[in-house]
Amino acid sequence: MSELGGAAASRGPVVLSARGLTRVHTGGPVPVTALGGVDLDLRLGELVAVMGPSGSGKSTLLHLLGGLDAPTSGSVMLAGDDLAAMDRAGRARVRRRRVGYVFQDLNLMPLLTALENVALPLELDGVPPKTARREAVEALAQLDVANLASRFPGQLSGGQQQRVAIARSLVGPRRVVLADEPTGALDSVMGEEVMRVLRGRVDAGAAAVVVTHDARLAAWADRTIFLVDGTVVDEAIAMGPGALLAEGGGRPW
Amino acid sequence: MSVRHALLALLGTAPVGAFALRQEFERRTGRTWPLNMGQVSTTLDRLERDGLVAEVPSDGDVPHYALTDGGRAELESWWAAPVERGVPARDELAMKLALAVTLPGVEVQAIVRAQRTETMRWLQALTRLRGEPQADDVAWQLLLDHYVFAAESEMRWLDHVQARLTRAGAAHPADAAASTLASERERVVARGDR
Ligand SMILES: Nc1ncnc2c1ncn2[C@@H]1O[C@H](COP(=O)(O)OP(=O)(O)OP(=O)(O)O)[C@@H](O)[C@H]1O
Ligand SMILES: [Mg+2]
């Protein structure tokens, strides 16, 4: 079983930092403020969960953190690069190298097999195909879908596709994982397994932000931030299990 | 908690004394519900009075107890019958929120948010506790899971309350909201895990 760090667990340097992150959509008849000024620091070794009602800006936040979208104002520093100062292509390059992203709608390539989907980000980064495939198989195996490697997305169930998408976010040396509802289509045991895998990756020196509606899964994170109407309204920081253990061990409450 | 039936269950395998009974009870329930010796003795006295247990000869000087035929029948019917639901235990949080939505000048949303943060912390701590080595014990694991799912259910209920209040669009929605609050909770809890 994975060791869950408490507040006292040792953390690395800040790898992802957002300041005053705001996104206003101006396409429609009235401007929509999807995100209204969010600050966030993510350290290596840290897992952060984001919760909040539908439409509260969770996906928007993740898009901005991953450089998939540009903020109306505010800044994102990703491993030393200022994403706001880059053009679209620059952000895409940084994202591919640094970020494993699990999209809310998965975004698997329909004409590539599960294995090819997972190997793709590595191959785009110039990893030799053989190595890329080997790493892809390992990632698929971690999520218990290695036996489905040669299937196309259309031949997989929703939960299986989700696991392939998670595997794709975990391959290679990328140390920041941004996952948008990665467990939505999974049963409760598999959902927990995914959190265990993510937790393991983070404890091995990565960092992750996970959007989830499931409090039981959010509890695996070091802290949970609650978004409402585009702003962070609360934050719950995990303490170690010691917080529950009375003197003498045994009885926790 | 039916201490009475728990003791009958523990006496079902072999005759034991009061002190050993208490130890066994606490060990098997992960020491979640501490029992004092007084409770054990009183319960044993009543069980003996009702003819469900009887004192039996033992080697040492502490009295040992065993199930009578009547006790065995009572135990069988306890295992066989589901634990009764339908008379909800009084829940402080449900009560607090039901009062909050009906009384003037109470910031209901703030109460919901503060509670959600607190319940999330509790859930975080439970999740970490599940990863501790002592959690290998099956009974203990099962109890922890019970609290984890209960906390999760409370979180979902709080989300639901918040969404409802937001939709009602006021800090103090109609009294109708308050009266349905408690039954809403029952429903969310009853739905259990997906
Ligand atoms: N392109 C857009 N144009 C206008 N409004 C948008 C656009 N994209 C998102 N929004 C709005 O921004 C707000 C935040 O959306 P977002 O997708 O971040 O929510 P979310 O928290 O991820 O919700 P969900 O839980 O449903 O996935 C919503 O009100 C949404 O309608
Ligand atoms: Mg979303």
Side-chain angles (χ1 to χ4, degrees):
Chain A
M1 201 167 266
S2 170
E3 279 292 316
L4 287 166
S10 62
R11 298 273 150 67
V14 173
V15 66
L16 182 60
S17 173
R19 288 291 172 273
L21 215 49
T22 300
R23 179 68 167 98
V24 182
H25 294 284
T26 49
V30 286
V32 176
T33 303
L35 209 63
V38 168
D39 297 334
L40 180 78
D41 280 325
L42 180 68
R43 294 174 176 279
L44 290 176
E46 195 177 29
L47 178 57
V48 174
V50 180
M51 297 188 80
S54 182
S56 58
K58 305 180 298 295
S59 294
T60 304
L61 172 62
L62 230 56
H63 288 160
L64 296 173
L65 292 177
L68 288 158
D69 185 15
T72 306
S73 64
S75 68
V76 178
M77 296 289 291
L78 174 58
D81 290 314
D82 182 357
L83 293 185
M86 292 179 181
D87 62 5
R88 215 183 161 79
R91 289 203 308 268
R93 201 169 47 244
V94 169
R95 179 173 74 247
R96 210 176 57 229
R97 295 228 179 97
R98 308 278 190 205
V99 181
Y101 203 102
V102 185
F103 294 86
Q104 189 165 13
D105 54 6
L106 305 184
N107 258 356
L108 293 173
M109 304 279 177
L111 298 179
L112 299 183
T113 64
L115 180 78
E116 288 162 349
N117 263 288
V118 176
L120 186 63
L122 294 175
E123 294 193 36
L124 288 175
D125 265 351
V127 174
K130 230 176 129 183
T131 315
R133 278 161 183 263
R134 203 190 52 234
E135 291 194 25
V137 171
E138 277 170 27
L140 287 168
Q142 259 200 315
L143 289 141
D144 208 22
V145 281
N147 56 326
L148 305 175
S150 58
R151 295 227 200 143
F152 292 95
Q155 301 170 324
L156 298 170
S157 76
Q160 290 164 343
Q161 288 181 41
Q162 199 149 41
R163 282 185 272 167
V164 172
I166 295 162
R168 181 178 60 181
S169 77
L170 295 175
V171 282
R174 293 167 297 166
R175 293 215 283 177
V176 176
V177 177
L178 302 175
D180 200 345
E181 296 272 5
T183 59
L186 303 176
D187 63 46
S188 80
V189 173
M190 198 60 222
E192 203 146 316
E193 200 49 46
V194 165
M195 292 312 292
R196 198 185 304 283
V197 169
L198 272 177
R199 184 77 242 184
R201 169 60 69 98
V202 166
D203 290 345
V209 181
V210 181
V211 171
T212 179
H213 277 111
D214 194 334
R216 196 161 41 85
L217 300 181
W220 284 76
D222 299 298
R223 58 198 164 100
T224 296
I225 61 177
F226 297 94
L227 277 182
V228 173
D229 294 339
T231 53
V232 175
V233 291
D234 293 292
E235 180 170 14
I237 299 171
M239 292 178 278
L244 283 184
L245 294 170
E247 74 287 0
R251 189 181 310 147
W253 36 75
Chain B
M1 232 307 292
S2 173
V3 175
R4 190 179 155 87
H5 288 110
L7 296 193
L8 284 179
L10 290 172
L11 287 168
T13 36
V16 260
F19 187 72
L21 262 182
R22 172 180 169 225
Q23 275 186 323
E24 275 301 292
F25 177 83
E26 295 201 345
R27 190 175 69 79
R28 283 164 201 259
T29 53
R31 278 164 286 181
T32 306
W33 302 285
L35 266 189
N36 61 44
M37 276 314 292
Q39 270 173 294
V40 177
S41 312
T42 321
T43 310
L44 278 174
D45 287 347
R46 289 200 190 126
L47 288 170
E48 197 172 16
R49 181 198 64 199
D50 297 343
L52 301 177
V53 306
E55 204 179 317
V56 293
S58 70
D59 316 336
D61 39 83
V62 292
H64 276 44
Y65 296 86
L67 292 189
T68 62
D69 287 345
R72 203 161 289 284
E74 175 68 24
L75 177 59
E76 286 307 321
S77 61
W78 186 59
W79 289 130
V83 174
E84 266 183 45
R85 294 293 184 223
V87 191
R90 194 179 298 147
D91 181 288
E92 183 177 349
L93 179 58
M95 210 166 64
K96 192 172 168 182
L97 284 173
L99 290 172
V101 292
T102 46
L103 294 174
V106 186
E107 274 274 8
V108 190
Q109 292 278 17
I111 294 175
V112 171
R113 284 174 33 197
Q115 187 62 47
R116 205 170 39 185
T117 309
E118 170 62 19
T119 305
M120 189 70 218
R121 286 214 192 91
W122 164 236
L123 192 49
Q124 287 165 335
L126 285 169
T127 304
R128 276 145 192 79
L129 206 53
R130 282 207 297 178
E132 297 282 290
Q134 76 194 47
D136 280 352
D137 179 351
V138 179
W140 178 226
Q141 189 76 53
L142 195 136
L143 281 169
L144 282 178
D145 285 348
H146 171 75
Y147 288 111
V148 163
F149 280 101
E152 183 197 21
S153 156
E154 186 164 287
M155 287 290 284
R156 275 196 276 148
W157 179 63
L158 289 166
D159 285 347
H160 182 81
V161 170
Q162 186 180 43
R164 235 171 186 285
L165 293 176
T166 306
R167 227 148 281 173
H172 299 289
D175 288 4
S179 60
T180 53
L181 206 56
S183 62
E184 286 286 358
R185 171 158 215 193
E186 295 304 302
R187 228 173 298 145
V188 173
V189 171
R191 212 166 49 218
D193 189 34
R194 269 172 286 159

mmCIF file of all heavy atoms in Angstrom, chain B residues 27-30 133-142:
data_model
loop_
_atom_site.group_PDB
_atom_site.id
_atom_site.type_symbol
_atom_site.label_atom_id
_atom_site.label_comp_id
_atom_site.label_asym_id
_atom_site.label_seq_id
_atom_site.Cartn_x
_atom_site.Cartn_y
_atom_site.Cartn_z
ATOM 1 N N ARG B 27 -10.798 -5.770 20.813
ATOM 2 C CA ARG B 27 -9.869 -6.206 19.769
ATOM 3 C C ARG B 27 -10.599 -6.357 18.433
ATOM 4 O O ARG B 27 -10.145 -5.876 17.398
ATOM 5 C CB ARG B 27 -9.231 -7.541 20.155
ATOM 6 C CG ARG B 27 -8.079 -7.958 19.264
ATOM 7 C CD ARG B 27 -7.417 -9.231 19.764
ATOM 8 N NE ARG B 27 -8.262 -10.403 19.615
ATOM 9 C CZ ARG B 27 -8.443 -11.061 18.478
ATOM 10 N NH1 ARG B 27 -7.865 -10.639 17.366
ATOM 11 N NH2 ARG B 27 -9.212 -12.128 18.430
ATOM 12 N N ARG B 28 -11.758 -6.979 18.474
ATOM 13 C CA ARG B 28 -12.468 -7.267 17.220
ATOM 14 C C ARG B 28 -13.147 -6.056 16.611
ATOM 15 O O ARG B 28 -13.559 -6.095 15.466
ATOM 16 C CB ARG B 28 -13.527 -8.345 17.469
ATOM 17 C CG ARG B 28 -12.927 -9.719 17.574
ATOM 18 C CD ARG B 28 -13.927 -10.661 18.199
ATOM 19 N NE ARG B 28 -13.254 -11.810 18.763
ATOM 20 C CZ ARG B 28 -13.213 -12.982 18.153
ATOM 21 N NH1 ARG B 28 -13.783 -13.137 17.002
ATOM 22 N NH2 ARG B 28 -12.571 -13.986 18.717
ATOM 23 N N THR B 29 -13.320 -5.013 17.373
ATOM 24 C CA THR B 29 -13.973 -3.834 16.803
ATOM 25 C C THR B 29 -12.973 -2.699 16.642
ATOM 26 O O THR B 29 -13.329 -1.534 16.511
ATOM 27 C CB THR B 29 -15.141 -3.357 17.691
ATOM 28 O OG1 THR B 29 -14.653 -3.180 19.017
ATOM 29 C CG2 THR B 29 -16.266 -4.362 17.692
ATOM 30 N N GLY B 30 -11.684 -3.064 16.630
ATOM 31 C CA GLY B 30 -10.655 -2.055 16.428
ATOM 32 C C GLY B 30 -10.664 -0.992 17.513
ATOM 33 O O GLY B 30 -10.243 0.130 17.309
ATOM 34 N N PRO B 133 0.245 0.173 8.720
ATOM 35 C CA PRO B 133 0.426 -1.280 8.842
ATOM 36 C C PRO B 133 -0.640 -1.949 9.704
ATOM 37 O O PRO B 133 -1.113 -3.026 9.386
ATOM 38 C CB PRO B 133 1.797 -1.421 9.501
ATOM 39 C CG PRO B 133 2.441 -0.084 9.476
ATOM 40 C CD PRO B 133 1.420 0.942 9.139
ATOM 41 N N GLN B 134 -1.074 -1.278 10.775
ATOM 42 C CA GLN B 134 -2.048 -1.888 11.675
ATOM 43 C C GLN B 134 -3.378 -2.147 10.971
ATOM 44 O O GLN B 134 -4.225 -2.880 11.463
ATOM 45 C CB GLN B 134 -2.278 -1.003 12.897
ATOM 46 C CG GLN B 134 -3.150 0.219 12.587
ATOM 47 C CD GLN B 134 -3.092 1.258 13.697
ATOM 48 O OE1 GLN B 134 -2.048 1.627 14.201
ATOM 49 N NE2 GLN B 134 -4.243 1.729 14.096
ATOM 50 N N ALA B 135 -3.535 -1.498 9.786
ATOM 51 C CA ALA B 135 -4.792 -1.628 9.064
ATOM 52 C C ALA B 135 -4.931 -2.983 8.368
ATOM 53 O O ALA B 135 -5.897 -3.228 7.667
ATOM 54 C CB ALA B 135 -4.932 -0.494 8.057
ATOM 55 N N ASP B 136 -3.948 -3.870 8.538
ATOM 56 C CA ASP B 136 -4.027 -5.201 7.932
ATOM 57 C C ASP B 136 -5.169 -6.029 8.497
ATOM 58 O O ASP B 136 -5.736 -6.868 7.819
ATOM 59 C CB ASP B 136 -2.713 -5.963 8.135
ATOM 60 C CG ASP B 136 -1.680 -5.520 7.118
ATOM 61 O OD1 ASP B 136 -2.065 -4.766 6.198
ATOM 62 O OD2 ASP B 136 -0.515 -5.919 7.247
ATOM 63 N N ASP B 137 -5.469 -5.784 9.750
ATOM 64 C CA ASP B 137 -6.556 -6.464 10.424
ATOM 65 C C ASP B 137 -7.868 -6.264 9.654
ATOM 66 O O ASP B 137 -8.281 -5.131 9.401
ATOM 67 C CB ASP B 137 -6.638 -5.851 11.830
ATOM 68 C CG ASP B 137 -7.746 -6.454 12.661
ATOM 69 O OD1 ASP B 137 -8.552 -7.211 12.101
ATOM 70 O OD2 ASP B 137 -7.773 -6.161 13.851
ATOM 71 N N VAL B 138 -8.501 -7.375 9.259
ATOM 72 C CA VAL B 138 -9.688 -7.283 8.394
ATOM 73 C C VAL B 138 -10.832 -6.503 9.044
ATOM 74 O O VAL B 138 -11.463 -5.659 8.415
ATOM 75 C CB VAL B 138 -10.194 -8.683 7.992
ATOM 76 C CG1 VAL B 138 -11.443 -8.567 7.120
ATOM 77 C CG2 VAL B 138 -9.119 -9.442 7.247
ATOM 78 N N ALA B 139 -11.080 -6.779 10.320
ATOM 79 C CA ALA B 139 -12.191 -6.110 10.998
ATOM 80 C C ALA B 139 -11.944 -4.605 11.070
ATOM 81 O O ALA B 139 -12.837 -3.791 10.835
ATOM 82 C CB ALA B 139 -12.357 -6.673 12.408
ATOM 83 N N TRP B 140 -10.724 -4.250 11.355
ATOM 84 C CA TRP B 140 -10.331 -2.845 11.465
ATOM 85 C C TRP B 140 -10.477 -2.148 10.114
ATOM 86 O O TRP B 140 -11.006 -1.047 10.010
ATOM 87 C CB TRP B 140 -8.907 -2.798 11.995
ATOM 88 C CG TRP B 140 -8.256 -1.461 12.147
ATOM 89 C CD1 TRP B 140 -6.994 -1.129 11.748
ATOM 90 C CD2 TRP B 140 -8.801 -0.290 12.766
ATOM 91 N NE1 TRP B 140 -6.728 0.177 12.059
ATOM 92 C CE2 TRP B 140 -7.818 0.721 12.687
ATOM 93 C CE3 TRP B 140 -10.029 0.028 13.354
ATOM 94 C CZ2 TRP B 140 -8.022 2.007 13.167
ATOM 95 C CZ3 TRP B 140 -10.221 1.308 13.841
ATOM 96 C CH2 TRP B 140 -9.217 2.270 13.745
ATOM 97 N N GLN B 141 -10.032 -2.845 9.059
ATOM 98 C CA GLN B 141 -10.124 -2.296 7.706
ATOM 99 C C GLN B 141 -11.587 -2.027 7.338
ATOM 100 O O GLN B 141 -11.930 -1.004 6.777
ATOM 101 C CB GLN B 141 -9.501 -3.303 6.725
ATOM 102 C CG GLN B 141 -9.336 -2.755 5.328
ATOM 103 C CD GLN B 141 -8.161 -1.797 5.223
ATOM 104 O OE1 GLN B 141 -7.061 -2.128 5.605
ATOM 105 N NE2 GLN B 141 -8.400 -0.610 4.735
ATOM 106 N N LEU B 142 -12.408 -2.986 7.713
ATOM 107 C CA LEU B 142 -13.829 -2.876 7.414
ATOM 108 C C LEU B 142 -14.467 -1.685 8.129
ATOM 109 O O LEU B 142 -15.271 -0.952 7.566
ATOM 110 C CB LEU B 142 -14.472 -4.190 7.864
ATOM 111 C CG LEU B 142 -15.860 -4.542 7.406
ATOM 112 C CD1 LEU B 142 -15.851 -6.011 6.986
ATOM 113 C CD2 LEU B 142 -16.847 -4.333 8.516
#
